[in-house]
Amino acid sequence: MIKFLFDTDTWQEIYSSIRKNKVRTGITIIGVMWGIFLLVVLLGAAKGIENNFNRLFGDFATNSVFVWAQQTSKPFKGFQEGKGITLKMSDLENIRNEIKGLEFVVPRHQTQALTVNKFKTGTFGIFGDYPVFDKVQKRNLIYGRFINHNDIVEKKKVCVIEEEIYKQLFDKDEFPIGQYIKINDINYNVVGMYKEGQMGSGGPQGNIHIPFTTFQQVYNRGDDVGWMMITGKPGFDITQIEADVKLLLKNLHNVHPEDDRAFGSFNLGDIFKKVSEFLLGMQFLTWFVGLATLIAGVFAIGNILLITVKERTKEIGIRRAIGAKPWEIKRQIILESVFLTSIAGAFGIIFGGVVLMIIDATLGKGEDRFLTNPTVDIPVILIAALTLVVLGTLIGLIPAHTAVSIRPIEALREE
């Protein structure tokens, strides 16, 4: 078989056959090439969307929900409509004790404040946080550390700043750790600096994190909680956890069970689930469309070879008459089929890769980009190429069988 692949006469006959049907062969190759090209580009685009989604949500524990208090919209137990509600630290303890499947329950405070370093100023988001917040929404630390347990216990005036704040308040190449900045005229020691991800970013202004207990003391919040982040354990439905938490809070704060405005929430886990299902469906559709196009192109090659066999009936009869064996005729036609599909596949993969590079250079740049690194894994390319070879072999069996089914004497009579 190896000797046959390197036989000059075999390839000359294949070349002669292709040359006689240049237009037909070219159109057929384009059909197969379009199929593999479409598959590569669609899979790359789907991967780019998935990468971008992971870039946006990568900092968060995705099985999370955010809950905050608002105002009632229905009277209940003597309280009028419009009663203001404030979350308390005791609410978090009740949630931890009563709701099953919880990983973290994280209280947070938030405000904005004027921040000064020497002669540079800016207004930034100030967050009061516990150390566990770094597990729910990972901080990509560049220098230093995040808030620790000792900061909470001693109510230390320390802060962790975002890189964007460093650029606005510090000189270039100035080391921020150990420096002091003023937040509402109170000095805070910078103990960490991080690079913010897309979700939860403070935007152009940036965020500053201080210990939760320090925030309570400085801003006189007492036992109040601004809002909370709740993360479910793997295998637990975050949507059900959200409903259970709201129902418990309604009972604790004397809110009507059907009052849907008393507590606001944002279910990140539910959104993540929907997007994941969308990406999965898009990948399935991509494979379906790409493989269907490939199969259609390969069948076109089979039709071309059938026509070629019909046109070469007399030639095949002569070869059979002078001693060519049936399996030699079959082998040549199958080799021609595999050759055409392989060439078409190679061009399709190359052009698909070039298009993905162009897409990455145009649509894959910038903070508001739609795609991130649209690529196709090498194993996927190998599977597609192997599929082409297998299909080319199988489809080549049809004209090959037709070629050897004709008796030599009848083939010689063919005009």
Side-chain angles (χ1 to χ4, degrees):
M1 183 64 183
I2 300 298
K3 182 180 178 181
F4 175 77
L5 289 176
F6 293 98
D7 184 54
T8 305
D9 292 337
T10 300
W11 288 105
Q12 284 180 345
E13 289 184 17
I14 291 175
Y15 172 72
S16 176
S17 175
I18 294 174
R19 189 179 59 182
K20 289 178 181 178
N21 303 281
K22 293 178 182 178
V23 177
R24 259 188 337 221
T25 303
I27 294 174
T28 304
I29 288 177
I30 290 174
V32 178
M33 183 182 70
W34 174 252
I36 194 71
F37 167 82
L38 194 64
L39 182 64
V40 169
V41 172
L42 289 178
L43 284 176
K47 185 66 175 179
I49 295 174
E50 181 181 355
N51 290 339
N52 197 54
F53 174 70
N54 291 332
R55 177 181 69 91
L56 293 174
F57 289 88
D59 294 335
F60 276 99
T62 52
N63 197 30
S64 301
V65 62
F66 310 95
V67 180
W68 59 90
Q70 301 180 144
Q71 290 184 336
T72 61
S73 60
K74 294 182 179 182
F76 188 66
K77 291 186 177 181
F79 294 99
Q80 295 297 314
E81 175 186 345
K83 180 186 73 170
I85 304 173
T86 303
L87 295 175
K88 300 291 184 179
M89 290 297 293
S90 59
D91 294 334
L92 277 74
E93 287 302 318
N94 282 295
I95 290 172
R96 291 190 184 102
N97 294 331
E98 299 293 332
I99 307 298
K100 294 182 178 180
L102 301 183
E103 182 112 30
F104 302 110
V105 181
V106 185
R108 302 195 72 191
H109 275 303
Q110 177 181 359
T111 188
Q112 283 196 326
L114 178 67
T115 307
V116 180
N117 181 32
K118 299 175 185 176
F119 299 103
K120 298 181 179 182
T121 65
T123 300
F124 309 111
I126 311 298
F127 289 84
D129 286 310
Y130 277 91
V132 71
F133 174 72
D134 190 42
K135 296 182 179 180
V136 179
Q137 185 181 352
K138 186 65 180 176
R139 304 289 85 180
N140 184 16
L141 287 169
I142 302 173
Y143 299 118
R145 62 173 177 84
F146 194 65
I147 295 164
N148 61 29
H149 178 70
N150 195 40
D151 298 331
I152 296 293
V153 173
E154 298 183 12
K155 301 179 182 179
K156 288 186 176 181
K157 293 180 174 60
V158 297
C159 66
V160 180
I161 65 173
E162 188 179 340
E163 185 182 26
E164 187 61 34
I165 294 176
Y166 167 80
K167 294 177 182 178
Q168 296 183 52
L169 295 183
F170 291 86
D171 295 329
K172 187 177 181 180
D173 298 328
E174 184 178 2
F175 190 65
I177 306 303
Q179 303 280 358
Y180 283 87
I181 60 175
K182 282 188 175 182
I183 302 175
N184 281 349
D185 292 326
I186 298 176
N187 286 316
Y188 289 81
N189 184 15
V190 178
V191 295
M193 185 179 84
Y194 67 96
K195 183 178 181 63
E196 180 60 276
Q198 296 299 306
M199 291 293 294
S201 173
Q205 291 76 30
N207 294 334
I208 299 175
H209 301 268
I210 65 175
F212 187 88
T213 50
T214 305
F215 192 106
Q216 286 178 308
Q217 185 180 60
V218 169
Y219 294 97
N220 195 27
R221 296 298 176 88
D223 197 37
D224 296 349
V225 173
W227 50 290
M228 67 180 77
M229 298 176 63
I230 300 171
T231 301
K233 293 179 180 178
F236 284 86
D237 185 4
I238 192 63
T239 303
Q240 184 61 49
I241 290 176
E242 176 188 9
D244 293 343
V245 167
K246 284 187 173 182
L247 182 59
L248 177 60
L249 289 174
K250 288 176 183 178
N251 291 332
L252 293 172
H253 291 270
N254 293 316
V255 175
H256 195 286
E258 297 180 1
D259 190 340
D260 295 328
R261 298 184 183 179
F263 298 97
S265 63
F266 176 75
N267 196 320
L268 180 62
D270 188 46
I271 293 177
F272 183 83
K273 180 181 178 182
K274 290 178 180 177
V275 174
S276 298
E277 289 174 350
F278 166 76
L279 291 174
L280 184 62
M282 188 169 64
Q283 288 179 347
F284 173 79
L285 182 62
T286 297
W287 275 104
F288 178 80
V289 172
L291 289 177
T293 309
L294 272 182
I295 292 171
V298 171
F299 270 107
I301 287 181
N303 290 331
I304 290 294
L305 291 176
L306 279 172
I307 296 172
T308 301
V309 167
K310 180 66 176 176
E311 293 175 346
R312 296 169 59 191
T313 301
K314 190 171 184 177
E315 174 193 333
I316 293 172
I318 294 172
R319 292 183 61 189
R320 292 285 305 279
I322 61 176
K325 297 179 181 179
W327 65 270
E328 292 177 336
I329 304 295
K330 281 185 176 182
R331 190 170 54 183
Q332 180 179 334
I333 295 174
I334 291 173
L335 181 60
E336 185 175 341
S337 175
V338 172
F339 174 72
L340 291 176
T341 52
S342 299
I343 290 295
F347 279 114
I349 291 171
I350 293 171
F351 290 147
V354 171
V355 169
L356 288 178
M357 291 174 62
I358 295 173
I359 290 175
D360 185 43
T362 54
L363 302 178
K365 305 299 179 185
E367 292 300 322
D368 57 345
R369 58 186 180 270
F370 179 66
L371 300 171
T372 299
N373 191 24
T375 56
V376 181
D377 295 334
I378 296 299
V380 174
I381 294 295
L382 294 177
I383 290 172
L386 181 61
T387 301
L388 267 181
V389 173
V390 171
L391 289 175
T393 303
L394 294 176
I395 205 68
L397 289 173
I398 300 173
H401 178 73
T402 302
V404 298
S405 64
I406 305 173
R407 296 173 61 186
I409 189 65
E410 294 176 357
L412 291 172
R413 291 174 182 171
E414 186 74 22
E415 291 295 332

